[in-house]
């Protein structure tokens, strides 16, 4: 399988190069040159596979010849060994033909583990095969940082530095990063905001000599391998709900459009999906787009579902590329307009195509809390605020009650205990393996919001670390 950029001007790459490069050189995002196809008979034959076996079937055509089948199998086995549910992603019936897909049974209790846990061993494998090392740097406002750290900890070919805004992430989120005891993991509490962390990251990537010397890399949500790993659970859930002999619909709480784009990919690969409902919190740029055909930037509004508090949906460009019939020049023109004016408008035919499959719904914090309460009362399930937005969206926009509606639960309620308790009166307990999170020692360096300070810190840390290894 070869990969092309959504802007049409970057080199065509194989899977392993796409994995390591992240963003394409023309500023676009990589997508497969064509969608692998599975017939209804093939999909039916996957019914009795466990999650790891299904993942192998779905991912094999995407990795092509760059990774041997044995290696891929090993990487997948490694990736999903750390989940606290045998099924990895349990599907629960919560209503009439209505299901909840639980994606939060990984080590950091959010759906990001579904892909990150795969990305860690995949990176390690490709790097070792090439005799390379990377320094992964990331900025986080919460969930991504801990998921990346858990995925990369103790991996020989990787050092990871995560920057977070000092005092601006929740206690649980901070401790999930700072209590990880691994010599290749380095947390930086930056004296600034999340935007300062992101600007710092950009400045490091723009410093070419620094970037090359430390072989900087990123594991952010635009990395194709993360989307690929997420495609699996759409097939998984649909099979459990009766596909391919029954149609299914999905409702997905989304911010960056990364999760739901994986569902769209599954539909392009032969899975019959009749509808995708996108759940937005008050940061509703995507819902507004599907309503109006206009993508327009707005300020960021803090909500009780902070992992969806975004201004721009970075993965949406991949759908735009498909809706433009893979015309990279047209995508470039639209995105350039967005950068310049803060908005773009698509033509009527394009938005009609999009609406065939997609619909959005927005919910403010009060509506989200009221859904947490309703679902607890009606079916005894305690939802986190992100998942509640997903359930609310599925219920509000369902087109056909005879089609199974699968709503994605993206975080464990204990990850957002204050909002959940306020909504339901119930304090969500952390799972056993994290029960002592608040007693574990923390390790973190507090740094000034200054590029040279952060670069010096990385430089010294790596020098010490490598010396330690040489003498060990
Ligand atoms: C990241 C995240 C989301 C949003 O996912 P996207 O891929 O950005 O759409 C939703 N819920 C939770 C809990 C998350 O961590």
């Amino acid at each position: 399988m070869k990969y092309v950029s959504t802007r049409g001007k970057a080199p065509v790459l194989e899977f392993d190069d796409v994995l390591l490069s992240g963003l394409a050189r023309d500023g676009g995002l990589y997508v497969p040159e064509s969608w692998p196809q599975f017939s209804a008979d093939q999909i039916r034959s996957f019914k009795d596979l466990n999650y790891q076996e299904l993942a192998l079937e779905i991912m094999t055509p995407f990795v092509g010849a760059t990774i041997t089948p044995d290696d891929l199998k090993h990487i997948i086995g490694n990736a999903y060994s750390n989940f606290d549910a045998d099924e990895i992603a349990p599907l629960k019936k919560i209503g009439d033909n209505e299901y909840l897909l639980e994606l939060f049974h990984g080590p950091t209790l959010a759906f990001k583990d579904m892909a990150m846990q795969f990305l860690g061993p995949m990176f390690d494998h490709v790097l070792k095969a090439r005799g390379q090392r990377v320094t992964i740097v990331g900025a986080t406002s919460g969930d991504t940082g801990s998921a990346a750290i858990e995925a990369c900890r103790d991996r020989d070919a990787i050092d990871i530095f995560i920057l977070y805004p000092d005092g601006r992430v929740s206690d649980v989120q901070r401790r999930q990063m700072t209590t990880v005891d691994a010599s290749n993991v380095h947390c930086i509490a930056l004296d600034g905001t999340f935007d300062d962390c992101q600007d710092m990251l950009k400045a490091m990537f723009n410093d070419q000599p620094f970037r090359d010397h430390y072989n900087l890399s990123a594991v952010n949500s635009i990395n194709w391998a993360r989307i690929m790993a997420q495609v699996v659970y759409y097939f998984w859930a649909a099979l459990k709900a009766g596909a391919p002999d029954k149609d299914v619909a999905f409702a997905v709480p989304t911010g960056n459009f990364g999760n739901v784009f994986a569902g769209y990919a599954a539909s392009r690969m032969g899975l019959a999906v009749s509808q995708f409902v996108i759940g937005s919190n008050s940061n509703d740029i995507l819902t507004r787009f599907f309503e109006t055909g206009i993508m327009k930037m707005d300020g960021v509004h803090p909500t009780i579902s902070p992992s969806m508090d975004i201004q721009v949906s970075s993965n949406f460009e991949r759908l735009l590329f498909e809706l433009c019939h893979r015309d990279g020049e047209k995508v470039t023109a639209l995105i350039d307009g967005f950068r310049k004016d803060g908005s773009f408008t698509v033509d009527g035919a394009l938005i009609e195509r999009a609406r065939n499959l997609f619909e959005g719904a927005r919910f403010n914090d009060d509506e989200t809390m009221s859904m947490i309460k309703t679902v607890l009362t009606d079916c005894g399930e305690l939802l986190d605020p992100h998942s509640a937005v997903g359930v609310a969206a599925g219920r509000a926009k369902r087109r056909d009650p005879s089609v199974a509606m699968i709503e994605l639960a993206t975080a464990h309620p204990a990850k957002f205990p204050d909002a959940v308790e306020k909504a339901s009166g119930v304090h969500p307990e952390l799972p056993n393996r994290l029960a002592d999170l608040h007693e574990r020692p923390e390790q973190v360096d507090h740094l000034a919001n200054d590029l040279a300070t952060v670069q010096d810190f990385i430089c010294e840390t790596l020098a010490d670390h490598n010396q330690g290894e040489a003498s060990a």
Side-chain angles (χ1 to χ4, degrees), residues 210-248:
F210 182 79
R211 176 181 181 162
D212 290 344
H213 185 76
Y214 294 105
N215 210 2
L216 292 199
S217 190
V219 290
N220 49 20
S221 78
I222 52 98
N223 195 303
W224 166 255
R226 281 182 60 182
I227 306 281
M228 176 181 86
Q230 291 167 191
V231 173
V232 177
Y233 55 72
Y234 284 90
F235 277 95
W236 169 257
L239 279 160
K240 301 257 166 233
D245 302 302
K246 247 171 88 177
D247 272 10
V248 295

Side-chain angles (χ1 to χ4, degrees), residues 109-112 142-144 173 221 226-227 230 233 252-261 286 305-308 310 313-315 384 386-387 409-412 415-416:
L109 312 181
F111 96 97
K112 305 236 165 28
D143 292 344
T144 309
Q173 286 176 325
S221 78
R226 281 182 60 182
I227 306 281
Q230 291 167 191
Y233 55 72
V252 187
T254 196
N256 273 317
F257 207 76
N259 194 350
V260 67
F261 185 80
L286 286 167
S305 45
S307 302
M308 306 195 299
I310 49 94
S313 293
S314 50
N315 261 294
D384 102 287
H386 305 78
S387 310
T410 53
H412 190 289
K415 198 142 187 183
F416 302 95

Side-chain angles (χ1 to χ4, degrees), residues 262-289:
Y264 172 79
S267 77
R268 293 297 303 271
M269 292 162 70
L271 187 69
V273 180
S274 60
Q275 186 189 9
F276 287 103
V277 189
I278 285 162
S280 301
N281 62 22
S282 301
N283 300 278
D284 62 347
I285 183 167
L286 286 167
T287 291
R288 281 186 283 118
F289 172 77

